[in-house]
Amino acid sequence: MSETTHSERTDTDSTIETTAGETIEQVQESWTDYKFQGEAKLTSEGLDVYYGDDHALKDVTIEIPEKSVTALIGPSGCGKSTFLRSLNRMNDRIRSARVDGSVQFDGKEIYQEGIDLVELRKRVGMVFQSPNPFPKSIHENITYGPRKHGDIETGLLARLLGRDDWDEAEELVEQSLRQAALWDEVADRLDDNALGLSGGQQQRLCIARCLSVDPEVILMDEPASALDPIATSKIEDLIHDLAEDYTVVIVTHNMQQAARISDQTAVFLTGGKLVEYDDTDKIFENPESQRVEDYITGKFG
Amino acid sequence: MASATESDLISGRTDSTEAVAGIAVGLAALLFALSLATFFDVVSVTGTLVGVPVVPLVGGLLILLGGAIITFGIGSYLGYVETTPSPTAGLVAAVAAAVPWFVAGVSVGSIMLGSGSAGGVVLGLVTGAVAFAATAFPREDLGSTLPIGALSILAGLVLLSGIIGPEWVWDLGWEQQASLTAGFVVPALTLATSLYVGWAAAKAYGGFGARGRHVGAYALVYVNALSIVAVLVILLAFTVFRGIPGLLTGAEIGLGVGPEVGLFGLSVQLPVSLPFVMNGVALLNDYQGVLPAIVGTFWLVIGAVLFAVPLGIGAAIFLTEYAERGRFTQAVEVATNGLWSTPSIVFGLFGFAFLIPRFGNGKSLLSGMLTLGFMLLPLVLITSREAMLSVPDEYRDASAALGVTKWQTIRSVVLPAALPGVVTGVILGVGRIAGETAPILLTMAGGTFVPGSQTVDVIGGFKFTATPPFVANPELLQATSALPYQLFALITAGVGLGDSVANPNDFRWATALILLVVVLSFYAIGIGARYYFRRKLQYE
């Protein structure tokens, strides 16, 4: 799976375009030569997403390597969040959305008949832009997913039947909160309502909740955009640590953030097109595309 | 020197200015309270207050009030009082002043001058126009005080001079033999005038201008809010005071005086005897009571809630979470709102014509429960739907992103978050159905009185049989009574009270009081439940 190139697409595109258009197209497609170390976790091929008549994402082909941080950047409305949501089929929840093309997770097509959405979303977790803990206790927030999946049983019936997994639940809560770097702050008030936490703590709780179902990929949709600089830096450190065990895909508006935390960066520009995808250093220091350079230096977008 | 804009920033008004306007506001409030007290017979128009006959006293106070507000306005215009008036009092104030002056003109023209209706209208138009002009054209301090102050003086003169005295009656002379008496006209006149002058005085207190208008508007909306509380308190007090004597008839406290109550095989003799709520009606009773109706109301509400709440919540879940917004959901919405607006007597007729023939062909508790359940259904559906729509989509997204199925999400996240709203809907609905008379009259109620021995016993009524239908409950299929129906029957017919009720009027008021207490108890339970569920959702 590694070191794949998409030369056939580059060929067809560049031969069709003429003069001025040709140069742009050739530059835009140059990312397809990008080779990364390791295995590809998520692969999309020719992915198109429509909201009604609106063609939000156009022909996106990309490979996302495992156990690394991949940043998706670009101006508002460029389709980067749409792309993120199509990786765990959260777009299914939008009634007008229609998806064409292919997304493969560990080599398996997720847009096929018979895919188990429960299992897919357990493995490909998601953290949203604004912190959205449930109006329940911190403990219940963490155990919510595993309980609903039947992985741990803590209910009244389980207790009566002698199948109480209370210890496992405690262990899971502590482990998830430690992974999300929140344990020390909330260890003594696990039964308090999660809405009483600060914004940054809530967001780390959401990350812990996402980790509680033991995912392989974590999708993050601007997870720090609603937070202050200190909370943001905590989240960024956390993302950095998570990349050792998980594949992280993060959408961000903040280019410094992308430069700080990601291993590779994909740049989407207006019209829902993936314009360039490369090592983060390469993107920020020496992008191939003039439009990407303009965007990164603030001349456009 | 201080210009107009600077005096806005730092008020140059003295304490004495504020005091004059403050006294005017206080006087208006006093008159407002006095008029309300007169309305509710706390103060009689024919009586005296602090040694002065009420009507002239009110008249004098109105003149004083009018004089004070006019003095303030002129003083402000001449510069003795520092205010910040706008160039004009505005269109709203002008129309507001023109309306009472039009009414005053019509009244004076048609009654006192005897010039007939047409002449009255002409005079009314003239006085209305003058008041409009007098408010709209001069500077605000004159415009908002002069016409209204003059109105107050006019009203005061009418009362003080005895044109409308305590014994005044205006026979309207229509076929209905209707007449207006001083008992209504004096407080109504005082109420309206004191509100107007209170508004003007509040504007004066704020020094006119933007601040004055703010104070004036504040005073008016404050009175509105206060009136709502006042209405409830007065209604409660009225019922309680009149209901207590009947309720306490034959009441005894002491060991061994109360009836025996059996619970789980234990028999306890209550130390309190309150025959009104512990007895039914029987020939040999010392005191008659309404226990069967209380129990009937209780079971009626329980049955209706058990029927309507699961159905309503289920339908709300389908509409908010599953159904796509379209023709069908719109049709359901229209149907729901239509059902909620349907008059209760129509529900009653439906129950009478449809349910009764199907449940034993006689009026029964079950028919009553179902009829009231149908009435409760739309409100539960509407409020549950609103509550579920107000649950943020973020919760649903978060749950879906964890791979949790839709139904589990609804059950574990959406419903708990929507529960306080659902409970609010049920509270409102129960308040309505518990007091319904018409459907009960048609579907459930037996005779005016139900003997105490026929108090419905739903739990004890279940019978198990070896043959179909296996479970039966004859209690549910019996006619019984409920408080609102009983009250209605007592008032319209008053039959069957017999010699053992010394004072039928007390008996009626006590029934009304018990009805109020039962409905408010359901309300209190609902509020408690809502508080509990809300606490679970919130931090701190």
Side-chain angles (χ1 to χ4, degrees):
Chain A
M1 282 298 276
S2 63
E3 303 189 4
T4 318
T5 61
H6 298 265
S7 49
E8 67 282 357
R9 273 189 77 244
T10 316
D11 289 348
T12 49
D13 279 11
S14 58
T15 46
I16 291 164
E17 296 297 327
T18 55
T19 53
E22 187 175 17
T23 50
I24 292 172
E25 281 302 317
Q26 278 173 352
V27 172
Q28 280 181 1
E29 299 295 340
S30 63
W31 60 266
T32 51
D33 293 329
Y34 174 56
K35 300 182 181 75
F36 47 77
Q37 300 293 312
E39 298 283 325
K41 190 76 182 171
L42 284 159
T43 312
S44 82
E45 266 185 67
L47 187 69
D48 288 83
V49 179
Y50 306 84
Y51 295 121
D53 294 333
D54 181 20
H55 196 167
L57 205 60
K58 289 181 190 139
D59 195 23
V60 173
T61 301
I62 189 171
E63 286 187 350
I64 294 167
E66 68 171 5
K67 295 188 179 171
S68 65
V69 179
T70 304
L72 311 177
I73 64 171
S76 297
C78 68
K80 54 194 188 307
S81 289
T82 299
F83 176 68
L84 193 76
R85 291 172 66 92
S86 65
L87 294 180
N88 66 346
R89 294 194 55 168
M90 284 295 278
N91 277 334
D92 291 15
R93 296 172 48 72
I94 300 167
R95 283 190 175 127
S96 63
R98 189 163 59 79
V99 179
D100 273 350
S102 144
V103 175
Q104 293 185 357
F105 171 67
D106 276 346
K108 292 189 193 69
E109 177 61 45
I110 66 168
Y111 285 96
Q112 63 174 323
E113 289 281 315
I115 186 92
D116 183 358
L117 282 183
V118 169
E119 198 55 37
L120 173 70
R121 288 178 184 156
K122 269 170 78 175
R123 295 204 200 161
V124 185
M126 191 160 198
V127 176
F128 296 84
Q129 180 170 8
S130 53
N132 58 353
F134 300 124
K136 299 168 183 285
S137 74
I138 294 170
H139 192 284
E140 284 172 310
N141 262 282
I142 304 284
T143 55
Y144 176 80
R147 266 190 292 134
K148 294 299 144 193
H149 296 313
D151 294 340
I152 56 170
E153 296 184 77
T154 56
L156 186 65
L157 189 62
R159 209 169 299 169
L160 289 176
L161 293 175
R163 291 212 305 255
D164 194 344
D165 299 334
W166 197 251
D167 293 340
E168 284 91 327
E170 295 285 296
E171 208 171 291
L172 176 81
V173 168
E174 177 169 352
Q175 183 199 338
S176 303
L177 286 171
R178 277 196 194 284
Q179 272 184 301
L182 190 61
W183 174 254
D184 296 337
E185 291 165 55
V186 300
D188 53 346
R189 48 177 174 143
L190 293 176
D191 291 325
D192 286 7
N193 195 305
L195 296 178
L197 298 175
S198 74
Q201 288 173 328
Q202 286 188 12
Q203 192 63 296
R204 275 178 286 153
L205 177 65
C206 292
I207 294 174
R209 182 177 63 188
C210 174
L211 296 174
S212 71
V213 293
D214 194 23
E216 295 166 32
V217 179
I218 303 172
L219 308 175
M220 296 187 173
D221 193 353
E222 302 181 42
S225 67
L227 306 179
D228 67 68
I230 293 170
T232 301
S233 108
K234 283 187 181 167
I235 299 276
E236 287 180 6
D237 291 346
L238 176 58
I239 292 169
H240 184 77
D241 295 341
L242 288 175
E244 288 179 12
D245 300 313
Y246 302 92
T247 305
V248 179
V249 185
I250 176 172
V251 164
T252 177
H253 268 300
N254 182 333
M255 277 177 282
Q256 286 77 19
Q257 189 176 60
R260 277 195 300 268
I261 62 175
S262 68
D263 301 308
Q264 50 275 323
T265 299
V267 187
F268 288 74
L269 289 181
T270 315
K273 283 205 151 188
L274 174 60
V275 180
E276 191 159 341
Y277 177 46
D278 213 324
D279 281 333
T280 298
D281 295 345
K282 175 87 170 22
I283 293 278
F284 282 95
E285 279 160 24
N286 187 22
E288 304 267 342
S289 158
Q290 188 60 43
R291 288 171 72 201
V292 170
E293 185 166 352
D294 287 351
Y295 174 65
I296 284 167
T297 52
K299 286 183 195 154
F300 147 75
Chain B
M1 283 309 293
S3 72
T5 46
E6 279 171 351
S7 65
D8 264 344
L9 195 60
I10 298 159
S11 171
R13 293 178 315 122
T14 59
D15 289 345
S16 59
T17 329
E18 278 195 359
V20 172
I23 287 170
V25 173
L27 206 55
L30 176 73
L31 279 165
F32 182 75
L34 202 59
S35 62
L36 280 184
T38 317
F39 259 130
F40 290 100
D41 292 335
V42 181
V43 175
S44 163
V45 275
T46 53
T48 59
L49 204 66
V50 289
V52 186
V54 168
V55 177
L57 175 71
V58 169
L61 285 176
L62 281 173
I63 293 173
L64 198 65
L65 184 59
I69 195 75
I70 289 176
T71 312
F72 191 93
I74 292 175
S76 160
Y77 186 71
L78 297 178
Y80 296 118
V81 181
E82 198 168 328
T83 54
T84 54
S86 307
T88 166
L91 195 62
V92 174
V95 172
V99 170
W101 271 107
F102 173 75
V103 174
V106 171
S107 310
V108 170
S110 58
I111 308 170
M112 295 167 189
L113 304 183
S115 57
S117 310
V121 170
V122 171
L123 186 63
L125 285 176
V126 172
T127 52
V130 170
F132 184 91
T135 309
F137 294 124
R139 215 173 71 174
E140 192 192 10
D141 44 4
L142 284 186
S144 64
T145 55
L146 283 190
I148 286 174
L151 184 77
S152 179
I153 291 176
L154 178 70
L157 283 175
V158 166
L159 294 184
L160 189 64
S161 64
I163 298 175
I164 294 181
E167 306 301 334
W168 181 83
V169 173
W170 180 26
D171 194 352
L172 293 174
W174 294 323
E175 283 177 30
Q176 294 89 343
Q177 298 291 313
S179 58
L180 285 173
T181 62
F184 169 74
V185 170
V186 171
L189 189 66
T190 316
L191 186 76
T193 314
S194 66
L195 271 179
Y196 265 109
V197 187
W199 180 40
K203 283 203 278 187
Y205 184 77
F208 306 107
R211 198 178 109 84
R213 286 177 196 201
H214 163 74
V215 176
Y218 175 81
L220 283 186
V221 293
Y222 186 75
V223 168
N224 282 358
L226 209 63
S227 308
I228 291 190
V229 179
V231 166
L232 180 68
V233 169
I234 288 167
L235 195 137
L236 275 177
F238 205 71
T239 315
V240 168
F241 279 121
R242 299 199 171 203
I244 287 283
L247 180 64
L248 294 182
T249 308
E252 279 182 280
I253 297 181
L255 281 177
V257 296
E260 280 192 10
V261 175
L263 198 67
F264 305 120
L266 274 172
S267 185
V268 181
Q269 198 161 33
L270 294 178
V272 183
S273 172
L274 205 57
F276 189 77
V277 298
M278 292 175 177
N279 283 359
V281 171
L283 206 58
L284 297 175
N285 274 359
D286 291 338
Y287 306 102
Q288 310 290 21
V290 294
L291 179 64
I294 296 175
V295 177
T297 300
F298 175 77
W299 281 114
L300 194 61
V301 170
I302 298 281
V305 167
L306 285 182
F307 172 72
V309 168
L311 260 181
I313 293 181
I317 290 176
F318 174 76
L319 287 176
T320 41
E321 305 291 325
Y322 287 103
E324 275 194 48
R325 261 204 84 72
R327 288 258 166 81
F328 178 64
T329 52
Q330 275 171 359
V332 174
E333 250 166 62
V334 170
T336 318
N337 293 336
L339 207 56
W340 178 236
S341 316
T342 304
S344 59
I345 187 80
V346 177
F347 277 103
L349 277 174
F350 170 74
F352 181 72
F354 182 83
L355 294 177
I356 284 183
R358 283 159 181 80
F359 293 118
N361 213 9
K363 293 183 181 180
S364 67
L365 180 59
L366 187 62
S367 302
M369 284 173 172
L370 289 179
T371 308
L372 291 190
F374 287 140
M375 287 184 60
L376 185 58
L377 195 54
L379 188 70
V380 172
L381 176 55
I382 293 168
T383 48
S384 306
R385 204 166 164 221
E386 289 300 320
M388 284 175 207
L389 284 175
S390 69
V391 173
D393 264 344
E394 280 83 27
Y395 295 164
R396 298 184 180 89
D397 279 348
S399 188
L402 286 166
V404 175
T405 58
K406 198 164 193 170
W407 171 244
Q408 282 178 317
T409 303
I410 292 167
R411 220 194 55 195
S412 308
V413 178
V414 178
L415 274 185
L419 252 174
V422 175
V423 172
T424 306
V426 176
I427 295 171
L428 289 174
V430 164
R432 183 183 172 195
I433 62 161
E436 274 301 340
T437 310
I440 301 171
L441 176 76
L442 289 169
T443 58
M444 191 183 100
T448 308
F449 286 106
V450 178
S453 58
Q454 287 181 25
T455 300
V456 64
D457 179 10
V458 172
I459 294 173
F462 280 104
K463 288 183 170 43
F464 301 94
T465 53
T467 51
F470 302 113
V471 182
N473 194 339
E475 292 282 336
L476 282 176
L477 295 178
Q478 269 177 12
T480 182
S481 190
L483 286 164
Y485 166 72
Q486 181 139 350
L487 185 58
F488 166 78
L490 282 172
I491 292 167
T492 52
V495 287
L497 285 167
D499 294 336
S500 49
V501 174
N503 189 340
N505 218 23
D506 277 359
F507 197 84
R508 289 176 193 136
W509 277 109
T511 309
L513 174 61
I514 290 296
L515 173 62
L516 198 63
V517 168
V518 168
V519 171
L520 290 183
S521 307
F522 278 116
Y523 188 67
I525 294 170
I527 300 262
R530 182 171 63 182
Y531 178 74
Y532 172 76
F533 290 126
R534 214 175 256 170
R535 271 281 301 275
K536 277 182 74 172
L537 291 179
Q538 284 166 348
Y539 55 94
E540 294 311 287

